[in-house]
Amino acid sequence: MPNFAPSFGKETLRTTAVTQQFEQNMDYVDFIHLNVLEKKVLNNSEVSVQYLCSKPCIINLEAVASSEFRTGVPVYRRRWKDEKNLYVSRTRQVHLKFPSIMVYRDDYIIRNSIIVHSVILYAWISHKSVSSYDVEQNEDYQDAVAKNYTFLEAVPPFERPYKDHKVCLQWGADYLWMLQANRIPQCPHESDGVQILNFIYASSGEKTGIMKKFEQFENRELETVRQHQIDYPMFTVSIWLYLLHHCEKDLCGILYFIDPKEMYSTPAVFLNEEGYVHIQMHLMRGDDLAVKTSFSLPLKQWFRLDLSFKGGQIEVSTVGKNLKRHHHQSFTFREDFYYDDTAGYFVLGGSGYVNGIEAFFGPVKYYRLNVLETEQISNPLHDKETVEQIELYYERCMDIQEIVYEYRYIVRQGEKALRNCYYENYYLELIYKYGEKSKCDAFMWGKELREKYRTLFKLLQEMDFSAPDVLEDGSDTVVEVGRRIFEKVAKGLSSADGLSNMGSSVPLLVDSSCCGYHKASYFLAVIFETGLSVSVDHTKGLLYSLVGAQGNERLAVMNLGYKHYQGINNYPLDLELSYAYYSNIAIKTSLDQHTIKGEQAFVETIRLMDDELLKAQTKENGDVFMWLKHEATRGNAAAQQRLAQMLFWGQQGVAKNPEAAIEWYAKGAIETEDPVLIYDYAIVLFKGQGVKKNTKLALELMKKAAAKGLPQAVNGLGWYYHNFKRDYRKAAEHWLIAEKLGNPDASYNLGVLYLDGIYPGVPGRNQTVAARYFYKAAQGGHIEGTLRCSLYYITGNMEDFPRDPEKAVIWAKHIAEKNGYLGHVIRKALNAYLELSWHEALLHYILAAETGIEVSQSNLAHICEERPDLARKYLATDCVWRYYNFSVSQVNAPSFAYLKMGDFYYYGYQNQSKDLELSVRMYAQAALEGDSQGFFNLALVIEEGNSIPSYILDHLEIDQALHSSNTSLLQELYYRCWNNSNQESISPCSLALLYFYMRVFWNNILQSTLIYFMGTFLLSILVAFAVQYFQALSAHNSPGSRSEPSSDEHSSSGNSNEDATRLVQQDESTFSNNLSQQQSDPQNPLVTG
């Protein structure tokens, strides 16, 4: 009797265990076993079938496969009969054959192989008549006398072999197949759970918010489910909130969807004045229905608002920090909602349609296809430290505000009683009027509270609460107290050695911030973020940035926008969040420019390295201003125009004085007949800015200026007909003329006509044409036009404006950085620098630089280079590295900043390591900006034996044929250096190019090393002598020229003749060594002073 092989199949209840039979007369039991050598789905897989039949039998094999689309599909069958070998164990080898799409990879013939989930190989024995062998026996397995099965492992499609089809493809078909033969497509890993917001967002209650757009799923199955759920939505939204106030008026936006027609769609979740949640849904039949919760949302505590939507049912819950449910409510509609989250965009907070809530948004999670219970939602509060800091801040501030309000009330009540006593006593009344003001000496507060807020009580005692600028409204009083505290601290910090007193100033700034004066909040944010005379504390820096932004402090909002735009200082890169902040200030910039009140100044790009611009700065008693005033008095129209602009906008160091500016506008308009002055005076008369409105005179002047061909005056006439006469036909006529003359205001105004649907002869609104006009206006620098376009880019709702969040941020940032309040801080910094008030200059340049404006960043880095002792003493961060690094990350970075960073990477800067590739990239970027020094430094890099990566040379558009030859590269770089420098005088580039040609010439003619050395040496002496002669001659001819800066003021952006002189004096054989030894020389073009 043969030995039995072990079975790899699974025995079933109907399978009897096999025992060896030694005697022929014993009862025999039928059995079948499977032994698969390689348990994978492969063609020609060998299976060993061992069986025993007690009667004539039929042995059956069947393989059944299941895929993602079908189950239980027979893919292999084999049957044979055995009538003779009874009572004997037999073994038969079978080779399995499967369909090609199961076992081979896709190729030119097999186009769609399938993914197999499972394959089961069944085996069974039937005692049926052999005559029934040819009859189908589909149900034999259940009635089998013995049966067994085993699993076969499916092979992934891209691990399968190619099939040899034994056919010869045409050459073209074979080539096309070979191009894609080894490509393995990656299936996108997608989930319906989307984290809309990861970081805390400070919502100030303005008409700006976070805008998110969702695309269709890449995964076919998920997208199919989404489309099926359009008329029966199933989704969940989870939002963390720290609510400061309920809605002041009507409804405030929490989360809502805007469709392509700019209408609210499903869902629209708002907060009302009483704190209840208002939920509006768009139904399948086309109309809208809304419900309101019976519970209100809590104030000044973190909670999670969970909303789930299923068909026509809504579930609303609130959950605390401990994840315990506080409230729950269900709503059921009789009709299902319509919901397509790809046809429009989501908004968190405010938008052009509704104000946002006054709150902090925490993490926001959106499940696009699933309805989840509260316990199933995964949306934790990540930054628990900041969350707790926000809670502690507002708890402390409640105490401070209560103290200030009660203290003021006590003092006012005391004054009222004294006035009653002094009413009939003239002497006592004089004492009250001119004597020392009342203050509260006997406190009603406990000793512990007085000790805790000792500095606050001391300041309150020093304040005069009878002053007329303190309003009756208690809340305004608190803000006024905060302002006074802040001004006292700011004055101290701006004084000589003021930054040394930062330790005592910080508690006062905290009190000012708590009183609601959020300039103090921004000061604190910058102080802790940069380590300005304190230890760096990023948590506190973030806290006060968020608090200041929530309180609508413009610089704090810009600071957050910038940090999220760049993804720096532990702030995540989030373009939609950045846009929410920047668009807020961009809108305010447009409004601020139409008001002459507040601490505003024109934002001017004045670099501290530009001596000419610095000399042009003046004051009302300065030489430039006095000269302009003299010329303006004599009737010089250009002087009158410039003087009026300086006074109206506060430019060039002159204090803002709209009244004086209008006098010059009027004088120029009447005396000189200058069209620009006439137009400017007409505008102020129309708007009544600093002067009484006079529409009649304004119209006469506007027509006069338009008759002189001034484009903005023609536009002004259109504006008059639009706003005063409602004559849209005449308005459009004038705007079309002005638009042809290149006036961006006219382009914008034409866009407004199309957007409002009032363009003459054109029925209805036309957003597409309007957007084109807005874009044209934006290209001309129009603020509102730029804002419109940035909105189109962030929403992606316009056909001509594909969604581009980065471009939206750049455009909004550009407008925000024109804000007058930022300009005021920059002007204070510049004035302090010119007056050598270093502490004040450092403080205000840091405040401006942290908002992300490039000119202040590079100016601050320059100050830190100029006064390294000041930077080391008061700043915990590396000022020079930090702000030059910030500068080169901007889209409008100056070339000298690239050169500086190139030097830092080339030589290494303090604790920063060297990085040749980054250095070359910086020099190349400077070269692309048209700076000859960039080309010069690239050439020196090659001269030192280094190579420049090919992709950088391609970026510089240098012919690839030159890449392999250093001589050719040097010639090209020196030529471009010379071509981008001043070609009318001797420059380092011209000398370097001359010396290069001489070296090449000398190498081609002279072979002797000794003669070459002596000739080069003599030639170098002659060239050096010639350069010195020209310098002496130039100095003799122009005695009034500006002196060269001292050695510690040199930078790589300064092109000096010494650069080339030194280059000429170096022998070619020692050129590389000499250059490396001169790294400490401040006049080396690659060294930063």
Side-chain angles (χ1 to χ4, degrees), residues 1-57:
M1 193 75 178
N3 293 330
F4 289 101
S7 171
F8 286 85
K10 292 188 178 180
E11 293 186 349
T12 67
L13 293 175
R14 299 195 178 203
T15 304
T16 306
V18 177
T19 57
Q20 293 187 11
Q21 305 295 326
F22 297 99
E23 296 183 16
Q24 199 134 31
N25 59 358
M26 294 184 64
D27 293 333
Y28 287 87
V29 178
D30 297 74
F31 72 86
I32 187 166
H33 287 286
L34 296 172
N35 184 6
V36 185
L37 297 179
E38 189 173 3
K39 302 188 70 174
K40 290 186 177 181
V41 180
L42 301 172
N43 235 17
N44 286 321
S45 291
E46 187 174 336
V47 179
S48 177
V49 182
Q50 187 177 12
Y51 64 92
L52 182 146
C53 292
S54 61
K55 295 180 181 179
C57 60

Side-chain angles (χ1 to χ4, degrees), residues 954-1007:
D954 290 336
H955 200 54
L956 291 168
E957 296 183 353
I958 293 177
D959 190 350
Q960 288 195 350
L962 306 178
H963 290 195
S964 58
S965 170
N966 279 354
T967 302
S968 301
L969 271 179
L970 286 171
Q971 179 180 349
E972 180 68 18
L973 291 171
Y974 282 134
Y975 175 77
R976 292 194 185 190
C977 176
W978 170 77
N979 198 42
N980 283 277
S981 59
N982 186 359
Q983 299 178 11
E984 296 180 0
S985 62
I986 296 177
S987 67
C989 295
S990 57
L991 291 173
L993 185 61
L994 175 63
Y995 180 55
F996 173 79
Y997 282 134
M998 287 181 175
R999 281 191 298 169
V1000 173
F1001 177 76
W1002 203 265
N1003 282 334
N1004 291 337
I1005 294 179
L1006 301 176
Q1007 301 298 324

